[in-house]
Amino acid sequence: MECTLDAQSLISISLRKIHSSRTQRGGIKLHKNLLVSYVLRNARQLYLSERYAELYRRQQHYPDGAPLLAMPACPPPAAAAPPELAALPLPADTQDREARSCGAARGGAELLEVAGPGGGGGAAPGLLYAAGCDFGSGGAPHCSSRTTVLDLDTHVVTTVENGYLHQDCCSQCPCCCQPAPGLSSPPPAPGTKRKYYPGQEEEEEGVEEGEPGGGGVAGGPPFAPCTKRARFEEYSAEHPQDSSNISNLISIFGSGFTGLVSRQQADSEQPLNGQLCSKQALASLGAWTRAIVAF
Amino acid sequence: MGGDFWCVFLWHGSNESLPSAEAVMFLKFSLRSVFYGAGGGNDIQWCFSQVKGAVDDDVAEADIISTVEFNHSGELLATGDKGGRVVIFQQEQENKTQSHSRGEYNVYSTFQSHEPEFDYLKSLEIEEKINKIRWLPQKNAAQFLLSTNDKTIKLWKISERDKRPEGYNLKEEDGRYRDPTTVTTLRVPVFRPMDLMVEASPRRIFANAHTYHINSISINSDYETYLSADDLRINLWHLEITDRSFNIVDIKPANMEELTEVITAAEFHPNSCSTFVYSSSKGTIRLCDMRASALCDRHSKLFEEPEDPSNRSFFSEIISSISDVKFSHSGRYMMTRDYLSVKIWDLNMENRPVETYQVHEYLRSKLCSLYENDCIFDKFECCWNGSDSIVMTGSYNNFFRMFDRNTKRDITLEASRENNKPRTVLKPRKVCASGKRKKDEISVDSLDFNKKILHTAWHPKENIIAVATTNNLYIFQDKMN
């Protein structure tokens, strides 16, 4: 079937659909969002296979072993369940970075938000999320229930953990090209910020890549500091995701949707748990105001 | 009947290698056409009859028609809209002076069925849009129907009042009380005719049983119970009892992360009061028997057609999602509608449909744009005619399609005000998929995807159809001579 859109555009369109469904009258339409998640999965599979093909071609061209695997291996998912949402190598590479922090995570909800141009009205202009994931036991256990938000305008990264906001640490060292220790690093100390610099490529998603070779993007330990796009691709190529589970709807909505669903369940099937509700309400109010997409 | 006897003979003699249900049906219909002379000579000529609704091009959202349903006799036609209103039309009695056409449908009753609500607990607004209307069979002078929005089902009683008591002793005719001291004689009040007044009153409200959005209601053939289906659950109600319902299907996974499909439509069998079917977003239909167990999570039959791998695309999952399922009047078949086709299933054959009709195959190459503009999520309905020989469904550009199961011919017609002279025979339309466009054909690229016909209904006995465009209701009849 001919498609005039490439996988990347499909992904961004799908993200926007899920986003806008949040603000539609009548609440989230489960059926439609489930269908959109299937398109996302299919587009992602195609995108990844294209990436791998490109990587393979590059390997053929540079048989002397250029630093294709500059990024250290992520700790493999400890849990038996395959990662439902590993890093998604979107063209917006800052998203990559965000995603990769949860890349080796086992299952869980990984949320990547795409800020549509103009947004859905009101609210902060650009917010990017990589939602909290359940890290496997091999990962960083303290990262559970973390939602990370990148404000695309101010380029401030904030992290919401367990419903409470705190700011990420940002180390300004220009150690762009040093391999990051990967995901096993401890999370940044609360109360600090990280800055990303806009790059040359203005994706529709609004997330920009640091300029290659010198943009000086300072990444904290959990995020790969390197700005070279190639490295992100290679990194992602290293971790072929099991995309068979991507169609799971909850993956798309992440912890936020579970919260919504379990709240509904609490209403109809169990006595109301006030504490549970308030925790979720806090998480939902502060952390994300926009639609969320998970990969 | 000769034809049917033939059919039975073959069927009983069959083993694995002998005629499939399909072959049997073909024979049955062939014989029937020999016996009854049906087929080519009896093609229906459809004529415009009426159109209801505003003429404006600017459509108010509340006026968008969201459901259309004839009652069991066909005398009443109900529509529901996005604004939560129900409008019922009644067919005029046929009079002798107008024997060349059937009675017109005129407004009989209008009422506000559902209002927008706000669920404060979940911070969700509940739309007042009427998703479905189903009529109850008439038992007395009043009419009853069920109407539902996303969360609440209501039983409405529509009754006529054409007499009123007059001649009270203590009240004036206008209702003011008389001074008792002026009453010198007594009289017995009598009923006198008055202008017909049609009243609609909610008799039952079935609420708080659905967490997800209700997509279907279906009345059981026992006329005492009905089912309501949302994305993940189906509940069984008794029409008299509002504070309790039984959950008979629950496909919600323990972990919502494992959700892969939702329920899209459900319907009771027209004759068997313990049998119902529900369709899913994955293109499957499950038939369940309530006698098997209280919770019908395990289906009795699973109807599924394997996907054609050559048609695989990004959007395969979306276009295979079933948007409507309808039993034939006979109960032997059911029809499903997915995005591009209509399929007829024999209840005795689960592995594939017996008939498949392409509604608008030319859209297969446009799925990308249809995904972008959200049209790919449109939920088209379908319907049978009274004798189960023709099925009808809607399409874009205000086109609708009919498929004659006997002659295997199909026709595309347009619901448009341009053909609004009564008894004007509708001209068949044709869409040119590619290549040279012939005269009178419309190319795919000039189709108006904002003009969609999602809801159609066929009179249970006559060749009268109701077709809903965005905010207008068209009524077409066959040409009577």
Side-chain angles (χ1 to χ4, degrees):
Chain A
M1 187 216 80
E2 33 173 298
C3 184
T4 51
L5 299 173
D6 62 350
Q8 293 176 9
S9 318
L10 262 184
I11 288 171
S12 70
I13 290 171
S14 305
L15 297 188
R16 235 178 292 139
K17 283 190 196 300
I18 294 187
H19 170 78
S20 61
S21 80
R22 292 233 146 197
T23 50
Q24 268 167 8
R25 271 190 91 207
I28 295 175
K29 295 192 176 20
L30 190 64
H31 183 201
K32 181 177 176 184
N33 285 294
L34 181 66
L35 296 177
V36 171
S37 76
Y38 278 114
V39 175
L40 270 173
R41 175 192 67 167
N42 296 336
R44 184 165 167 273
Q45 281 172 344
L46 178 68
Y47 186 89
L48 292 176
S49 63
E50 283 172 355
R51 285 291 196 213
Y52 296 150
E54 195 185 321
L55 177 68
Y56 181 73
R57 260 180 273 119
R58 231 178 261 169
Q59 267 185 324
Q60 302 296 89
H61 274 114
Y62 302 107
D64 60 347
L68 293 174
L69 303 176
M71 307 310 298
C74 250
E84 286 178 355
L85 311 155
L88 175 76
L90 282 183
D93 291 302
T94 320
Q95 284 171 317
D96 278 339
R97 254 171 270 139
E98 304 280 11
R100 209 169 308 108
S101 71
C102 300
R106 154 194 89 69
E110 173 157 345
L111 308 174
L112 279 176
E113 167 153 7
V114 173
L127 288 174
L128 185 71
Y129 298 96
C133 319
D134 247 343
F135 278 67
S137 54
H142 41 260
C143 287
S144 59
S145 309
R146 165 189 287 186
T147 305
T148 305
V149 179
L150 167 69
D151 187 317
L152 293 169
D153 281 7
T154 64
H155 303 287
V156 169
V157 174
T158 57
T159 304
V160 177
E161 191 155 22
N162 291 331
Y164 301 101
L165 285 166
H166 62 263
Q167 304 288 321
D168 274 348
C169 171
C170 162
S171 56
Q172 297 278 347
C173 61
C175 50
C176 324
C177 295
Q178 285 170 19
L183 298 172
S184 49
S185 322
T192 50
K193 296 185 187 190
R194 176 181 301 114
K195 278 231 162 231
Y196 293 100
Y197 295 91
Q200 288 164 324
E201 291 198 353
E202 207 96 11
E203 296 291 346
E204 208 185 35
E205 292 84 354
V207 181
E208 290 94 26
E209 147 82 298
E211 282 170 351
V217 176
F223 298 91
C226 183
T227 63
K228 290 214 184 345
R229 182 186 280 261
R231 299 212 174 180
F232 298 140
E233 293 166 6
E234 292 141 21
Y235 184 89
S236 64
E238 236 187 293
H239 300 272
Q241 297 82 7
D242 179 1
S243 49
S244 63
N245 291 333
I246 197 63
S247 60
N248 300 341
L249 179 63
I250 192 56
S251 313
I252 291 196
F253 288 100
S255 57
F257 188 73
T258 327
L260 181 73
V261 168
S262 57
R263 228 187 306 164
Q264 286 176 337
Q265 199 169 20
D267 291 341
S268 57
E269 292 161 22
Q270 302 158 17
L272 221 53
N273 183 335
Q275 192 185 11
L276 174 74
C277 280
S278 65
K279 244 184 157 186
Q280 288 164 343
L282 261 179
S284 58
L285 281 173
W288 36 268
T289 56
R290 300 264 204 133
I292 298 171
V293 178
F295 292 89
Chain B
M1 295 190 164
D4 293 346
F5 178 75
W6 257 82
C7 171
V8 165
F9 178 74
L10 276 170
W11 192 247
H12 280 287
S14 71
N15 59 26
E16 287 297 319
S17 62
L18 277 183
S20 63
E22 194 175 20
V24 168
M25 289 331 300
F26 173 73
L27 275 162
K28 183 170 180 177
F29 285 121
S30 308
L31 288 162
R32 181 172 288 164
S33 61
V34 166
F35 276 68
Y36 303 117
N42 287 355
D43 275 355
I44 303 172
Q45 287 188 294
W46 288 102
C47 304
F48 172 86
S49 174
Q50 296 171 271
V51 59
K52 308 281 188 195
V55 189
D56 302 337
D57 278 341
D58 208 11
V59 179
E61 176 134 352
D63 293 336
I64 295 176
I65 298 172
S66 51
T67 185
V68 181
E69 187 82 358
F70 279 100
N71 76 336
H72 290 254
S73 66
E75 184 204 354
L76 298 176
L77 175 61
T79 63
D81 63 24
K82 260 190 143 184
R85 289 167 304 203
V86 171
V87 180
I88 302 177
F89 301 92
Q90 183 187 41
Q91 191 179 27
E92 274 174 8
Q93 297 302 320
E94 284 181 33
N95 51 26
K96 296 184 175 56
T97 56
Q98 283 195 309
S99 57
H100 53 261
S101 73
R102 299 180 185 83
E104 283 199 338
Y105 282 85
N106 298 316
V107 176
Y108 178 66
S109 171
T110 305
F111 56 93
Q112 186 76 31
S113 170
H114 287 73
E115 299 273 5
E117 288 172 52
F118 196 79
D119 183 336
Y120 295 96
L121 218 45
K122 299 171 203 164
S123 293
L124 285 180
E125 188 177 8
I126 300 169
E127 276 192 286
E128 67 276 29
K129 171 167 77 91
I130 307 295
N131 291 335
K132 283 286 174 345
I133 290 175
R134 290 286 182 262
W135 289 92
L136 265 73
Q138 191 172 13
K139 285 196 286 198
N140 52 37
Q143 302 277 356
F144 288 86
L145 60 78
L146 284 175
S147 70
T148 185
N149 69 348
D150 283 342
K151 296 287 184 185
T152 305
I153 306 135
K154 295 188 184 181
L155 176 69
W156 287 88
K157 175 179 178 183
I158 297 106
S159 48
E160 292 182 2
R161 191 194 291 269
D162 61 356
K163 298 186 269 290
R164 65 168 177 200
E166 287 179 14
Y168 282 103
N169 292 292
L170 297 177
K171 275 196 297 190
E172 302 286 357
E173 292 308 327
D174 59 7
R176 278 179 305 144
Y177 279 96
R178 291 170 70 184
D179 181 356
T181 59
T182 63
V183 178
T184 54
T185 61
L186 285 180
R187 57 187 174 169
V188 177
V190 293
F191 275 104
R192 295 215 192 280
M194 58 177 259
D195 289 340
L196 179 66
M197 193 163 73
V198 181
E199 302 169 323
S201 60
R203 304 303 287 181
R204 306 271 186 279
I205 297 183
F206 306 91
N208 302 320
H210 285 281
T211 308
Y212 302 96
H213 297 333
I214 297 175
N215 53 55
S216 311
I217 47 175
S218 176
I219 300 174
N220 201 346
S221 48
D222 65 8
Y223 301 144
E224 285 187 352
T225 56
Y226 74 95
L227 63 76
S228 58
D230 66 27
D231 291 324
L232 297 179
R233 297 190 177 103
I234 301 180
N235 292 334
L236 182 71
W237 302 82
H238 192 284
L239 284 164
E240 299 291 328
I241 300 170
T242 58
D243 61 355
R244 225 175 313 153
S245 74
F246 293 98
N247 176 243
I248 53 177
V249 171
D250 188 342
I251 64 167
K252 182 166 186 249
N255 185 357
M256 276 296 273
E257 301 200 18
E258 292 154 12
L259 180 74
T260 54
E261 63 181 328
V262 297
I263 297 169
T264 52
E267 193 176 57
F268 265 118
H269 190 277
N271 305 322
S272 165
C273 59
S274 59
T275 308
F276 65 95
V277 295
Y278 67 93
S279 60
S280 85
S281 55
K282 274 194 165 171
T284 63
I285 310 101
R286 287 171 174 80
L287 184 141
C288 300
D289 191 324
M290 294 194 291
R291 296 167 297 190
S293 72
L295 189 60
C296 300
D297 275 357
R298 286 217 317 252
H299 51 264
S300 301
K301 296 196 186 192
L302 174 67
F303 297 85
E304 186 174 16
E305 183 177 29
E307 188 194 350
D308 179 1
S310 63
N311 275 335
R312 180 102 195 115
S313 76
F314 282 127
F315 310 106
S316 293
E317 286 86 1
I318 300 188
I319 63 171
S320 63
S321 175
I322 291 175
S323 51
D324 194 17
V325 63
K326 290 262 172 46
F327 277 106
S328 64
H329 293 91
S330 63
R332 171 74 191 267
Y333 301 97
M334 64 179 175
M335 163 168 55
T336 58
R337 176 71 155 99
D338 50 69
Y339 190 64
L340 296 179
S341 67
V342 162
K343 295 180 181 171
I344 314 267
W345 302 79
D346 184 318
L347 291 192
N348 296 317
M349 188 161 79
E350 297 170 55
N351 59 352
R352 61 182 174 84
V354 290
E355 295 155 39
T356 302
Y357 301 104
Q358 300 301 333
V359 181
H360 35 219
E361 182 70 11
Y362 46 79
L363 295 183
R364 194 180 285 275
S365 55
K366 309 278 176 205
L367 293 179
C368 235
S369 350
L370 294 166
Y371 179 71
E372 275 188 276
N373 63 15
D374 267 2
C375 284
I376 205 174
F377 301 105
D378 287 334
K379 295 192 184 163
F380 292 94
E381 292 174 7
C382 51
C383 61
W384 299 85
N385 73 339
S387 59
D388 297 337
S389 59
I390 306 179
V391 298
M392 170 167 67
T393 188
S395 178
Y396 293 104
N397 209 69
N398 281 348
F399 288 169
F400 57 100
R401 304 261 281 139
M402 292 186 196
F403 302 93
D404 189 319
R405 300 176 62 213
N406 297 339
T407 65
K408 298 300 180 204
R409 290 220 288 268
D410 60 85
I411 190 170
T412 305
L413 299 172
E414 183 180 359
S416 144
R417 282 181 183 268
E418 286 166 15
N419 312 322
N420 63 358
K421 269 186 61 181
R423 297 193 300 286
T424 315
V425 175
L426 296 180
K427 195 175 72 166
R429 315 291 279 160
K430 189 129 166 57
V431 177
C432 163
S434 60
K436 203 153 153 48
R437 187 177 73 86
K438 297 199 193 77
K439 185 174 115 96
D440 283 351
E441 283 186 358
I442 297 187
S443 79
V444 182
D445 299 312
S446 45
L447 292 175
D448 187 344
F449 289 97
N450 290 321
K451 294 186 179 167
K452 51 192 88 169
I453 291 179
L454 303 174
H455 311 287
T456 59
W458 203 307
H459 190 289
K461 301 185 173 72
E462 315 266 0
N463 282 332
I464 304 175
I465 54 176
V467 170
T469 59
T470 308
N471 66 333
N472 285 164
L473 183 72
Y474 287 79
I475 299 174
F476 301 103
Q477 301 179 3
D478 66 350
K479 195 177 170 73
M480 290 170 74
N481 290 311

